[in-house]
CSV table of all heavy atoms in Angstrom, one decimal:
chain,number,residue,atom,x,y,z
A,1,ASP,N,208.3,-57.0,46.4
A,1,ASP,CA,208.3,-56.2,47.5
A,1,ASP,C,207.1,-56.3,48.5
A,1,ASP,O,206.9,-55.6,49.4
A,1,ASP,CB,208.5,-54.7,47.2
A,1,ASP,CG,207.3,-54.2,46.3
A,1,ASP,OD1,206.4,-55.0,46.0
A,1,ASP,OD2,207.3,-53.0,45.9
A,2,GLY,N,206.3,-57.4,48.2
A,2,GLY,CA,205.2,-57.8,49.1
A,2,GLY,C,203.9,-57.1,48.9
A,2,GLY,O,202.9,-57.4,49.6
A,3,ARG,N,203.7,-56.4,47.8
A,3,ARG,CA,202.4,-55.8,47.5
A,3,ARG,C,201.5,-56.9,46.9
A,3,ARG,O,202.0,-57.8,46.2
A,3,ARG,CB,202.5,-54.7,46.5
A,3,ARG,CG,203.2,-53.5,47.0
A,3,ARG,CD,203.6,-52.5,45.9
A,3,ARG,NE,202.4,-52.1,45.1
A,3,ARG,CZ,202.4,-51.7,43.8
A,3,ARG,NH1,203.6,-51.8,43.1
A,3,ARG,NH2,201.4,-51.3,43.2
A,4,LEU,N,200.2,-56.8,47.1
A,4,LEU,CA,199.2,-57.7,46.5
A,4,LEU,C,198.4,-57.0,45.5
A,4,LEU,O,197.8,-56.0,45.8
A,4,LEU,CB,198.3,-58.3,47.6
A,4,LEU,CG,199.0,-59.2,48.6
A,4,LEU,CD1,197.9,-59.7,49.6
A,4,LEU,CD2,199.7,-60.4,47.9
A,5,LEU,N,198.4,-57.5,44.2
A,5,LEU,CA,197.6,-56.9,43.1
A,5,LEU,C,196.6,-57.9,42.6
A,5,LEU,O,196.9,-59.1,42.4
A,5,LEU,CB,198.6,-56.5,42.0
A,5,LEU,CG,199.7,-55.6,42.3
A,5,LEU,CD1,200.6,-55.4,41.1
A,5,LEU,CD2,199.3,-54.3,42.9
A,6,MET,N,195.3,-57.4,42.4
A,6,MET,CA,194.3,-58.3,42.0
A,6,MET,C,193.6,-57.9,40.8
A,6,MET,O,193.3,-56.7,40.5
A,6,MET,CB,193.2,-58.5,43.2
A,6,MET,CG,192.1,-59.4,42.9
A,6,MET,SD,190.9,-59.5,44.2
A,6,MET,CE,190.0,-57.9,43.9
A,7,THR,N,193.2,-58.9,40.0
A,7,THR,CA,192.3,-58.7,38.8
A,7,THR,C,191.3,-59.8,38.8
A,7,THR,O,191.5,-60.8,39.4
A,7,THR,CB,193.1,-58.6,37.5
A,7,THR,OG1,192.2,-58.3,36.4
A,7,THR,CG2,193.7,-60.0,37.2
A,8,GLU,N,190.2,-59.6,38.1
A,8,GLU,CA,189.1,-60.6,38.2
A,8,GLU,C,188.3,-60.6,36.9
A,8,GLU,O,188.4,-59.7,36.0
A,8,GLU,CB,188.1,-60.3,39.3
A,8,GLU,CG,187.4,-59.0,39.1
A,8,GLU,CD,186.7,-58.5,40.4
A,8,GLU,OE1,187.4,-58.2,41.4
A,8,GLU,OE2,185.4,-58.5,40.4
A,9,ALA,N,187.6,-61.7,36.7
A,9,ALA,CA,186.7,-61.9,35.5
A,9,ALA,C,185.5,-62.7,36.0
A,9,ALA,O,185.6,-63.5,36.9
A,9,ALA,CB,187.4,-62.7,34.4
A,10,TYR,N,184.3,-62.3,35.5
A,10,TYR,CA,183.1,-63.0,35.9
A,10,TYR,C,182.8,-64.1,34.9
A,10,TYR,O,182.8,-63.8,33.7
A,10,TYR,CB,181.9,-62.0,35.9
A,10,TYR,CG,180.7,-62.5,36.6
A,10,TYR,CD1,180.6,-62.6,38.0
A,10,TYR,CD2,179.6,-63.0,35.9
A,10,TYR,CE1,179.5,-63.1,38.7
A,10,TYR,CE2,178.5,-63.5,36.6
A,10,TYR,CZ,178.4,-63.5,38.0
A,10,TYR,OH,177.3,-64.0,38.6
A,11,VAL,N,182.6,-65.3,35.4
A,11,VAL,CA,182.3,-66.5,34.5
A,11,VAL,C,180.9,-67.0,34.8
A,11,VAL,O,180.6,-67.3,36.0
A,11,VAL,CB,183.4,-67.5,34.7
A,11,VAL,CG1,183.1,-68.8,33.9
A,11,VAL,CG2,184.8,-67.0,34.4
A,12,LYS,N,180.2,-67.2,33.7
A,12,LYS,CA,178.8,-67.8,33.9
A,12,LYS,C,179.0,-69.3,33.5
A,12,LYS,O,179.1,-69.7,32.4
A,12,LYS,CB,177.8,-67.2,32.9
A,12,LYS,CG,177.6,-65.7,33.3
A,12,LYS,CD,176.6,-65.0,32.4
A,12,LYS,CE,176.3,-63.6,32.8
A,12,LYS,NZ,175.3,-63.0,31.9
A,13,ALA,N,178.9,-70.2,34.5
A,13,ALA,CA,179.0,-71.6,34.4
A,13,ALA,C,178.5,-72.2,35.6
A,13,ALA,O,178.4,-71.6,36.7
A,13,ALA,CB,180.4,-72.1,34.1
A,14,ALA,N,178.1,-73.5,35.6
A,14,ALA,CA,177.5,-74.2,36.8
A,14,ALA,C,177.8,-75.7,36.7
A,14,ALA,O,177.7,-76.3,35.6
A,14,ALA,CB,176.0,-73.9,36.9
A,15,GLY,N,178.0,-76.3,37.9
A,15,GLY,CA,178.1,-77.7,38.0
A,15,GLY,C,179.4,-78.3,37.7
A,15,GLY,O,179.6,-79.5,37.7
A,16,GLY,N,180.5,-77.5,37.6
A,16,GLY,CA,181.8,-78.0,37.2
A,16,GLY,C,182.4,-78.9,38.2
A,16,GLY,O,183.2,-79.8,37.9
A,17,CYS,N,182.2,-78.6,39.5
A,17,CYS,CA,182.8,-79.4,40.5
A,17,CYS,C,182.2,-80.8,40.7
A,17,CYS,O,182.8,-81.7,41.3
A,17,CYS,CB,182.8,-78.7,41.9
A,17,CYS,SG,183.8,-77.2,41.9
A,18,SER,N,181.0,-81.0,40.3
A,18,SER,CA,180.3,-82.3,40.4
A,18,SER,C,180.1,-83.0,39.1
A,18,SER,O,179.6,-84.1,39.0
A,18,SER,CB,178.9,-82.1,41.1
A,18,SER,OG,178.1,-81.2,40.3
A,19,ALA,N,180.6,-82.4,38.0
A,19,ALA,CA,180.4,-83.0,36.7
A,19,ALA,C,181.2,-84.3,36.6
A,19,ALA,O,182.3,-84.4,37.1
A,19,ALA,CB,180.9,-82.0,35.6
A,20,PRO,N,180.7,-85.3,35.9
A,20,PRO,CA,181.4,-86.6,35.8
A,20,PRO,C,182.6,-86.4,34.9
A,20,PRO,O,182.7,-85.5,34.1
A,20,PRO,CB,180.4,-87.5,35.1
A,20,PRO,CG,179.4,-86.6,34.4
A,20,PRO,CD,179.3,-85.3,35.3
A,21,ALA,N,183.6,-87.3,35.2
A,21,ALA,CA,184.9,-87.2,34.4
A,21,ALA,C,184.6,-87.5,32.9
A,21,ALA,O,183.6,-88.3,32.6
A,21,ALA,CB,185.8,-88.2,35.0
A,22,VAL,N,185.4,-86.9,32.1
A,22,VAL,CA,185.2,-87.2,30.6
A,22,VAL,C,185.7,-88.6,30.3
A,22,VAL,O,185.0,-89.2,29.5
A,22,VAL,CB,186.0,-86.1,29.8
A,22,VAL,CG1,186.0,-86.4,28.3
A,22,VAL,CG2,185.5,-84.7,30.1
A,23,LYS,N,186.8,-89.0,30.8
A,23,LYS,CA,187.3,-90.3,30.5
A,23,LYS,C,186.7,-91.4,31.3
A,23,LYS,O,186.2,-91.2,32.4
A,23,LYS,CB,188.9,-90.3,30.7
A,23,LYS,CG,189.6,-89.4,29.8
A,23,LYS,CD,191.1,-89.5,30.0
A,23,LYS,CE,191.9,-88.6,29.0
A,23,LYS,NZ,193.3,-88.6,29.4
A,24,ASP,N,186.7,-92.6,30.7
A,24,ASP,CA,186.3,-93.8,31.4
A,24,ASP,C,187.2,-94.0,32.6
A,24,ASP,O,188.5,-93.9,32.5
A,24,ASP,CB,186.4,-95.0,30.4
A,24,ASP,CG,186.1,-96.3,31.1
A,24,ASP,OD1,184.9,-96.7,31.3
A,24,ASP,OD2,187.1,-97.0,31.6
A,25,PRO,N,186.7,-94.4,33.8
A,25,PRO,CA,187.5,-94.5,35.0
A,25,PRO,C,188.7,-95.5,34.8
A,25,PRO,O,189.8,-95.2,35.3
A,25,PRO,CB,186.5,-95.0,36.0
A,25,PRO,CG,185.2,-94.5,35.6
A,25,PRO,CD,185.2,-94.6,34.1
A,26,GLN,N,188.4,-96.6,34.1
A,26,GLN,CA,189.5,-97.6,34.0
A,26,GLN,C,190.6,-97.0,33.1
A,26,GLN,O,191.8,-97.2,33.3
A,26,GLN,CB,189.0,-98.9,33.4
A,26,GLN,CG,188.1,-99.7,34.4
A,26,GLN,CD,187.6,-101.0,33.8
A,26,GLN,OE1,187.6,-101.2,32.6
A,26,GLN,NE2,187.2,-101.9,34.7
A,27,GLU,N,190.2,-96.3,32.0
A,27,GLU,CA,191.2,-95.7,31.1
A,27,GLU,C,192.0,-94.6,31.9
A,27,GLU,O,193.2,-94.5,31.8
A,27,GLU,CB,190.5,-95.1,29.9
A,27,GLU,CG,191.4,-94.3,29.0
A,27,GLU,CD,190.7,-93.5,28.0
A,27,GLU,OE1,189.5,-93.6,27.9
A,27,GLU,OE2,191.4,-92.7,27.2
A,28,ALA,N,191.3,-93.9,32.7
A,28,ALA,CA,191.9,-92.8,33.5
A,28,ALA,C,193.0,-93.4,34.4
A,28,ALA,O,194.1,-92.8,34.6
A,28,ALA,CB,190.9,-92.0,34.3
A,29,MET,N,192.6,-94.5,35.1
A,29,MET,CA,193.6,-95.1,36.1
A,29,MET,C,194.8,-95.7,35.3
A,29,MET,O,195.9,-95.7,35.8
A,29,MET,CB,192.9,-96.1,36.9
A,29,MET,CG,191.9,-95.5,37.9
A,29,MET,SD,192.5,-94.1,38.9
A,29,MET,CE,193.7,-94.9,39.9
A,30,ALA,N,194.5,-96.2,34.1
A,30,ALA,CA,195.6,-96.8,33.4
A,30,ALA,C,196.6,-95.8,32.9
A,30,ALA,O,197.8,-96.1,32.8
A,30,ALA,CB,195.0,-97.6,32.2
């Protein structure tokens, strides 16, 4: 019916958007 309901959680972490990939790039592309 168009209502917006929100919930939230606070997370302590840093650097996730710039962290290097876990897998080797060649393996990932394969």
